[in-house]
Amino acid sequence: MPALVLLGAQWGDEGKGKATDLLGGSVDYVVRYQGGNNAGHTVVVGDQKYALHLLPSGILSPGCTPVIGNGVVVDPSVLLSELSGLNERGVDTSKLLISGNAHIITPYNVTVDKVTERFLGKRKIGTTGRGIGPTYADKINRVGIRVQDLYDESILTQKVEAALDVKNQMLTKLYNRRAIAVEQVVEELLGYAEKLAPYVSDTVLVLNEALEQDKVVLFEGGQGTLLDIDHGTYPFVTSSNPTAGGACTGAGVGPTKISRVIGILKAYTTRVGAGPFPTELLDEDGEALRRIGGERGVTTGRDRRCGWFDAVIARYATRVNGLTDFFLTKLDVLTGWEQIPVCVAYEIDGRRVEELPYSQSDFHHAKPVYEMLPGWSEDISKAKSFSDLPKNAQAYVKALEEMSGAPISAIGVGPGRDETIQINSFL
Ligand code: IMP
């Protein structure tokens, strides 16, 4: 019953695509359990580069069944264009399964996301503008539209009416926008029904049966631990649970079924959007990390904010996710620094603090306490085993492992599929 959760241990963009893809060959099902097309995975297969937003990266492994779980929010137009883009490149997508209980990102949810951000002004979250927050808000308010609603026109119409009742008041009276017509939305959504029909299924049943038959199931988190609505840097978070528990609710699988929880951890730190970031670098080191690491959002094209590794965050991720392993990515990006600072604790209003403070204002005041680790200058992209790494790179990895509280079982030394050092097997 190998059920693995793979999730971001920082603020997302840790290189999960590479990790899922590495496991893809031995995995029977790859499941997305939360988020939507706010995510962005870049997967390199041979000389081909794929940017995926909504589809699980298992879609690129022929033997694997990709699953969009009930906890995901689905923009049908994005999904269909992602599928046809892959089909045009010869990728077979016919095995995809979509939960009938997943919620639909409607055109009005995208509009509400954009106008709300504009209205917040200086206090904006810096969302991806894809309608994620408003769609989850509708879900919790019980006025959401689910994939299964596309197959009953009368129910769909009633639900769109209920959702737009309040939203049109808000759009016209508060935001000075035009009201959105129910018929127009219903017509657009019904237009997707037939195209999506072959994929829609009872994914909870499928996944639980697969686990009973000892199939390997990989749950792939979008975003990262610090963007979790409950455990992240609220309010500068996404509107779902990327942490390990989200895999259970977002896929309908009990916690006793999960055998391994792997945190993807970048060898330094990045974040997109607004919010506190203690190790952020606003100098030429930050610029160099951004340039060498190619730190530009796959989804939004925004430059990512960059900073040194933060062990306080890594420890926190180990705790809230119950991590059993880390996959350390992008170690090669750090090649060339004489010394590499690593944040081991924070100083908050004159006090040394070893753990992530639960208080938002404390976290806003946190200043990094750095330990300097010696760097390396050798090219590490050809390293195949841990002992191939220069001594200082080995020591850097070992130090991170000790500070972070879980074994580092794989190390990424370059963007390609084969540029990975596997230390412990994940299965
Ligand atoms: P939303 O998910 O579009 O609502 O955006 C909320 C916050 O999460 C913003 O700061 C986004 O930049 C951030 N975010 C959303 N998706 C990702 C991701 O896949 N990687 C990194 N940051 C993300």
Side-chain angles (χ1 to χ4, degrees):
M1 191 186 58
L4 301 95
V5 181
L6 204 98
L7 51 85
Q10 294 149 319
W11 274 289
D13 307 315
E14 295 90 353
K16 290 182 285 278
K18 181 174 159 67
T20 22
D21 186 51
L22 176 79
L23 283 157
S26 38
V27 168
D28 300 303
Y29 292 81
V30 174
V31 187
R32 279 208 53 188
Y33 55 86
Q34 49 66 237
N37 56 310
N38 49 347
H41 292 325
T42 307
V43 183
V44 181
V45 183
D47 57 357
Q48 296 286 309
K49 199 169 176 178
Y50 299 91
L52 303 174
H53 299 284
L54 182 56
L55 289 168
S57 46
I59 198 113
L60 299 170
S61 301
C64 180
T65 302
V67 179
I68 293 182
N70 55 277
V72 175
V73 287
V74 177
D75 185 325
S77 67
V78 172
L79 177 62
L80 291 170
S81 79
E82 218 165 274
L83 286 171
S84 64
L86 288 175
N87 295 152
E88 278 160 24
R89 292 172 72 180
V91 178
D92 175 16
T93 56
S94 60
K95 285 179 138 188
L96 175 70
L97 301 178
I98 305 172
S99 166
N101 286 351
H103 280 246
I104 300 262
I105 302 178
T106 63
Y108 51 80
N109 292 135
V110 179
T111 305
V112 170
D113 194 0
K114 289 181 179 153
V115 292
T116 311
E117 280 282 276
R118 222 169 293 149
F119 201 72
L120 281 170
K122 262 200 345 240
R123 286 168 298 159
K124 72 175 182 191
I125 306 297
T127 72
T128 58
R130 302 296 194 264
I132 306 297
T135 305
Y136 279 114
D138 279 2
K139 174 178 175 175
I140 301 299
N141 278 332
R142 294 160 293 190
V143 290
I145 310 295
R146 297 192 290 176
V147 169
Q148 58 178 289
D149 299 327
L150 302 185
Y151 303 97
D152 187 325
E153 185 172 348
S154 140
I155 287 199
L156 179 67
T157 309
Q158 286 171 39
K159 290 192 172 179
V160 172
E161 257 165 16
L164 279 178
D165 231 13
V166 177
K167 276 184 197 72
N168 273 337
Q169 301 280 338
M170 188 177 83
L171 286 170
T172 53
K173 297 193 177 138
L174 191 62
Y175 295 125
N176 213 13
R177 306 274 299 208
R178 241 182 279 152
I180 295 171
V182 173
E183 310 72 50
Q184 201 182 324
V185 174
V186 170
E187 193 189 321
E188 179 179 334
L189 294 181
L190 286 176
Y192 300 125
E194 204 180 315
K195 293 187 190 120
L196 292 180
Y199 307 112
V200 180
S201 70
D202 182 350
T203 53
V204 174
L205 184 63
V206 171
L207 290 172
N208 280 284
E209 282 180 350
L211 286 168
E212 266 159 40
Q213 291 160 16
D214 260 349
K215 303 276 190 222
V216 181
V217 181
L218 179 69
F219 299 92
E220 173 184 80
Q223 294 80 47
T225 299
L226 273 291
L227 287 174
D228 186 281
I229 186 86
D230 285 272
H231 302 290
T233 46
Y234 191 90
F236 301 102
V237 291
T238 193
S239 298
S240 64
N241 289 113
T243 49
C248 297
T249 46
V253 165
T256 49
K257 300 273 167 74
I258 308 289
S259 45
R260 210 79 178 256
V261 186
I262 304 156
I264 314 298
L265 191 64
K266 213 181 277 193
Y268 50 98
T269 315
T270 61
R271 134 162 245 182
V272 241
F277 179 0
T279 62
E280 181 170 22
L281 294 165
L282 300 169
D283 56 7
E284 62 272 22
D285 280 331
E287 201 39 62
L289 286 174
R290 184 153 40 246
R291 184 172 30 84
I292 304 166
E295 296 298 350
R296 183 175 280 262
V298 180
T299 299
T300 58
R302 284 183 289 181
D303 273 350
R304 296 182 186 137
R305 300 157 65 191
C306 295
W308 299 122
F309 185 83
D310 185 335
V312 182
I313 282 174
R315 273 199 293 282
Y316 179 74
T318 304
R319 187 179 317 128
V320 296
N321 293 301
L323 295 182
T324 56
D325 302 81
F326 278 116
F327 187 135
L328 187 71
T329 57
K330 291 193 152 183
L331 184 64
D332 53 304
V333 174
L334 294 179
T335 301
W337 265 276
E338 225 166 272
Q339 290 206 301
I340 308 170
V342 169
C343 170
V344 294
Y346 300 140
E347 193 200 298
I348 302 174
D349 303 329
R351 286 172 299 128
R352 184 184 164 108
V353 174
E354 307 275 342
E355 301 299 344
L356 201 91
Y358 73 85
S359 145
Q360 188 193 346
S361 21
D362 279 355
F363 195 56
H364 273 273
H365 295 169
K367 295 202 177 59
V369 176
Y370 285 121
E371 205 170 276
M372 304 303 278
L373 299 181
W376 59 92
S377 55
E378 302 89 331
D379 175 18
I380 61 168
S381 61
K382 304 285 174 299
K384 293 278 171 262
S385 69
F386 188 68
S387 57
D388 291 342
L389 291 174
K391 286 282 165 287
N392 286 352
Q394 291 186 19
Y396 184 82
V397 173
K398 282 286 152 206
L400 262 45
E401 182 174 81
E402 209 157 287
M403 293 171 194
S404 306
I408 292 177
S409 294
I411 306 169
V413 290
R417 214 177 201 183
D418 49 352
E419 289 170 321
T420 299
I421 298 171
Q422 183 106 38
I423 300 169
N424 305 311
S425 160
F426 289 127
L427 293 171

